[in-house]
Amino acid sequence: MILRAQAGDIEAFMVLASRYQQPVFRLAYRLTGNREDALDVAQETMLKAFEAIKNFKLKSSFHTWVHRIAFNLTLNFLKKNRSRKIHQESLDRFRNEEEKLENFSSPEQSSISEELRFNLEKAIQELPFAYRSAFSLVVFQGMSHSEAGKVLGCSGSTVSWRMHEARKMLKEKLKPFLNSNKEVRDEMRKI
Amino acid sequence: MRCERYNKMISDLLDGNLSPGQKRKLEKHLATCKSCQAHCEALSLIQQEAKALRGPDFLPEQKREFERRLRASFEQSGAKKGKTKERPKLFLARPAWAAGGILLLVVILSLIFLWDRRPPEMQLAMMLSYEDSYLSLSQVIEEDESVAQSFNQELINSIDLEIRMEEELEGQDLQDIYEQEEAQYTENNLLKEKFPLKEGL
């Protein structure tokens, strides 16, 4: 498929684009915090990838390559729009009734988990950019440290260190919610 | 300090970036350290909840719109690429124009610099062989009296010059002339040699 796309086959590239548009959109959303901006970045990423695919060496992974383009474009976008207020849309999903009810056994636990997720989403958005990007690539995009390092332009050990620091920051911010969640779960276990 | 190192190992464990040896070490430590156990539990919960935060999905109509815009952009980009492919044709046209210009310039310069302004008689003489030019000269002399007169005058002058030079040489002895010439040659050449003949021997 990549070879066909490299030969200029638009349909072949559309197949690749439909496979990667969602993860790229999610990464851009995690980094910009805005759905519209993320859509624009995702579209620009695909266009850039289409223009540059002839230069893509099959030695590296297409997945990592596309994410690197997306990351660089997001970085440029954020530099250009530094003064602009980034909208926080991360809580939209919680209005969806289906997601509210998923996998929770009791109303009390459901409410506490919801609160934890709400604050976790907020805490992730508040992480410094370098830590947020590492966290997004590893946790949300499922990349290994070395893959994330290739996207971010640093080593795998740097990603490992950023992940450790990001988790410490998240734990610190979520301490009250983690404790209440633990208490509820302990009580649930007793019952 | 020691626990900080294990805390980082917990983070690596959650990302699947821990070797089996390190994993055994961590498990051994966790069995005895309650602080690290609590840390591990908290991070596991954060990891679990974070994984559940999948991020926004494309709605079907958003997906269609995204793909439609993308396809339009690709086609536009492809059309641009097609246009850029035509560029060599334009570049091919330019050397043709350049070659035409150079040729025109060469013709103009040749007309300017090679245009012969000499009288037609002389031009004719230049184009002919020695015999032809002599014939042509005699024709010109026959046709134009002023040319004939100047030609005769030049001829008489050259004969006079020849006679004067012979008269000057007649008064001198030939032996004296040779000696003078030899002395002049010695002065000019042999005395200026860097390595005299003696040293060479």
Side-chain angles (χ1 to χ4, degrees), chain B residues 12-13 26 50 57 61 76 108-109 128 159 171 189:
Chain B
D12 284 340
L13 177 74
L26 177 64
D57 280 325
E61 63 268 23
Q76 205 179 346
I108 292 167
L109 287 173
L128 301 173
I159 292 165
N189 300 303

Side-chain angles (χ1 to χ4, degrees), chain A residues 11 26 117 145 160 167, chain B residues 8 11 15 49 57 71:
Chain A
E11 291 309 316
R26 280 183 183 162
R117 283 187 193 178
H145 289 175
S160 165
R167 283 186 169 114
Chain B
K8 187 176 175 301
S11 175
D15 296 335
E49 296 297 329
D57 280 325
R71 191 182 289 275

Side-chain angles (χ1 to χ4, degrees), chain B residues 52-105:
Chain B
L53 300 173
R54 291 186 311 157
D57 280 325
F58 273 146
L59 300 170
E61 63 268 23
Q62 264 185 329
K63 190 176 162 68
R64 274 196 297 275
E65 176 60 16
F66 183 87
E67 286 180 357
R68 190 194 61 75
R69 280 165 61 188
L70 208 56
R71 191 182 289 275
S73 302
F74 288 165
E75 280 163 6
Q76 205 179 346
S77 171
K80 274 184 193 168
K81 277 183 187 173
K83 277 181 189 171
T84 55
K85 277 178 187 171
E86 283 173 13
R87 207 176 286 169
K89 286 181 187 171
L90 291 169
F91 283 128
L92 277 174
R94 284 179 190 174
W97 279 103
I102 288 167
L103 194 66
L104 192 68
L105 198 67

Side-chain angles (χ1 to χ4, degrees), chain A residues 31 71 75 127-137 152 154 158-159 162-163 166 169:
Chain A
L31 301 180
F71 177 75
L75 207 59
L127 282 174
F129 185 77
Y131 300 95
R132 189 164 83 245
S133 47
F135 192 86
S136 301
L137 288 169
L152 299 172
C154 62
T158 305
V159 174
R162 285 182 190 173
M163 287 302 292
M169 286 182 233

